[in-house]
Amino acid sequence: MPGFLQVAYCYFFSSQVRRSIVYGDQPRNRLDLYLPTNTNGPKPVVVFVTGGAWIIGYKAWGSLLGLQLAERDIIVACVDYRNFPQGTISDMVKDVSQGISFVCNLIDRFGGDPNRIYLMGQSAGAHISACVLLEQAIKESRGESTTWSVSQIKAYFGLSGGYNLFNLVDHFHNRGLYRSIFLSIMEGEESFEQFSPEVRIKDPRNREAASFLPPIKLFHGTSDYSIPSDASINLVEALKGVGAEAEVILYEGKSHTDLFLQDPLRGGKDDLFDHVVSVIHAGDEEALAKDASAPPRKRLVLEILLRLARHISPF
């Protein structure tokens, strides 16, 4: 709660946050922009898709990440999307793709560089954004007309995501996301292959799409019991098997929420945050120098509260 209140205050009152920009005509087709205070020159952009078990996702869940990346002169667009039961997985994929299209085509109006866009998703958001990215690559490999190009995405960051629905349905059922609900979200087991990037990329009909994909970096905690780290390991193996550039980075002992919530609230050095920033600023000597001299991030929550939260979190 102490950290939440501080972040919420910035979210609602900071001039750096542009809330609920409309990107489409469906419910929840909105996105939030987090803008750096330094407005000199076009900035790199991260399109972030939040998690929430496909049911409780909301764009504001990315506010802490957005505020912290904005401090490093990076624009962040947190894309909202229809959740179940307002929508099912195909609606979510469509919404996120439309949000990415908005950013790719219009981010220059907000000081962003359309040639330096990065896609990032966490948990369910990692799954949805991976589905969007692969679907886009498949369309382009077949010469289909699109409103944005996967070539505009310089890298994909997947955080604690699940990418094979066949492997997750029983696991989620045992964790409390019951099979009947999961099947409703994913439009039945007959849709599992379409919305399982790990499975879909192995299909010989889709292998040409691998050459269209940007570098893919997946991050996962080894003590993630919501979505086991094998999910990221297996996707990277599948991607490498078809010639795509992919890497998995594992964090020993980290849970499903440590990487995205507890560690950023802890402040100080954060290996995942530093890695993402270093990829975005690669080749920009001035930005890298600023990163090296940046002050440690502020602690927002006492350590004893973070440890308590880790033990009682359902994730």
Side-chain angles (χ1 to χ4, degrees):
M1 184 58 73
F4 173 80
L5 291 175
Q6 293 176 73
V7 174
Y9 179 83
C10 291
Y11 178 73
F12 285 108
F13 298 106
S14 172
S15 60
Q16 291 177 253
V17 184
R18 305 280 182 88
R19 299 190 311 277
S20 295
I21 297 171
V22 177
Y23 69 77
D25 58 3
Q26 294 297 317
R28 298 189 64 167
N29 280 184
R30 307 286 187 273
L31 59 82
D32 295 330
L33 286 180
Y34 297 81
L35 305 174
T37 54
N38 173 16
T39 58
N40 296 330
K43 308 298 182 188
V45 183
V46 171
V47 179
F48 182 68
V49 186
T50 63
W54 303 274
I55 298 172
I56 57 170
Y58 183 54
K59 56 188 173 61
W61 301 164
S63 54
L64 180 57
L65 176 73
L67 291 165
Q68 292 180 337
L69 285 176
E71 291 177 355
R72 299 296 183 92
D73 282 348
I74 299 168
I75 293 175
V76 179
C78 289
V79 178
D80 209 4
Y81 54 90
R82 284 171 284 177
N83 282 209
F84 183 79
Q86 192 174 32
T88 54
I89 185 62
S90 60
D91 299 314
M92 301 175 201
V93 167
K94 180 180 178 181
D95 287 353
V96 170
S97 182
Q98 194 168 355
I100 295 171
S101 177
F102 178 95
V103 173
C104 287
N105 289 294
L106 298 175
I107 198 61
D108 57 335
R109 298 183 182 180
F110 302 92
D113 186 345
N115 297 312
R116 287 190 293 165
I117 298 174
Y118 299 80
L119 179 59
M120 184 176 187
Q122 188 264 342
S123 189
H127 167 251
I128 296 167
S129 53
C131 288
V132 170
L133 189 66
L134 181 54
E135 175 68 19
Q136 189 75 6
I138 291 170
K139 286 181 177 179
E140 291 187 31
S141 71
R142 296 173 178 171
E144 297 180 25
S145 176
T146 59
T147 59
W148 61 280
S149 173
V150 74
S151 64
Q152 293 176 270
I153 307 299
K154 298 309 172 188
Y156 171 76
F157 306 112
L159 176 55
S160 307
Y163 311 100
N164 186 333
L165 302 182
F166 294 98
N167 292 343
L168 292 173
V169 58
D170 290 332
H171 175 77
F172 284 150
H173 181 80
N174 293 331
R175 295 280 298 174
L177 181 53
Y178 298 123
R179 176 185 293 270
S180 60
I181 298 174
F182 188 70
L183 290 175
S184 296
I185 295 170
M186 300 302 165
E187 301 171 5
E189 196 164 348
E190 61 273 15
S191 297
F192 276 13
E193 182 174 346
Q194 181 182 354
F195 298 110
S196 295
E198 179 196 328
V199 177
R200 201 174 185 200
I201 195 60
K202 294 177 182 177
D203 187 329
R205 295 171 297 176
N206 299 327
R207 290 198 173 187
E208 189 178 340
S211 63
F212 288 77
L213 293 171
I216 291 173
K217 294 180 179 290
L218 305 183
F219 307 90
H220 224 118
T222 60
S223 293
D224 187 336
Y225 301 115
S226 294
I227 302 178
S229 57
D230 283 350
S232 291
I233 294 170
N234 293 339
L235 177 58
V236 165
E237 290 178 353
L239 289 165
K240 287 183 174 180
V242 295
E245 182 181 344
E247 176 186 12
V248 61
I249 300 171
L250 300 177
Y251 294 88
E252 192 66 33
K254 295 293 186 180
S255 72
H256 192 66
T257 56
D258 277 335
L259 299 176
F260 182 67
L261 187 59
Q262 283 95 317
D263 287 351
L265 289 171
R266 185 172 282 114
K269 182 174 175 55
D270 184 332
D271 289 339
L272 187 151
F273 180 85
D274 292 342
H275 188 106
V276 169
V277 171
S278 69
V279 171
I280 295 172
H281 284 161
D284 187 337
E285 297 301 326
E286 182 180 353
L288 291 172
K290 287 183 179 179
D291 293 336
S293 61
R297 293 186 300 164
K298 178 185 175 184
R299 175 183 281 275
L300 299 177
V301 179
L302 294 173
E303 186 63 28
I304 188 172
L305 294 179
L306 288 173
R307 292 181 182 273
L308 177 62
R310 191 179 193 275
H311 284 292
I312 66 174
S313 169
F315 302 105

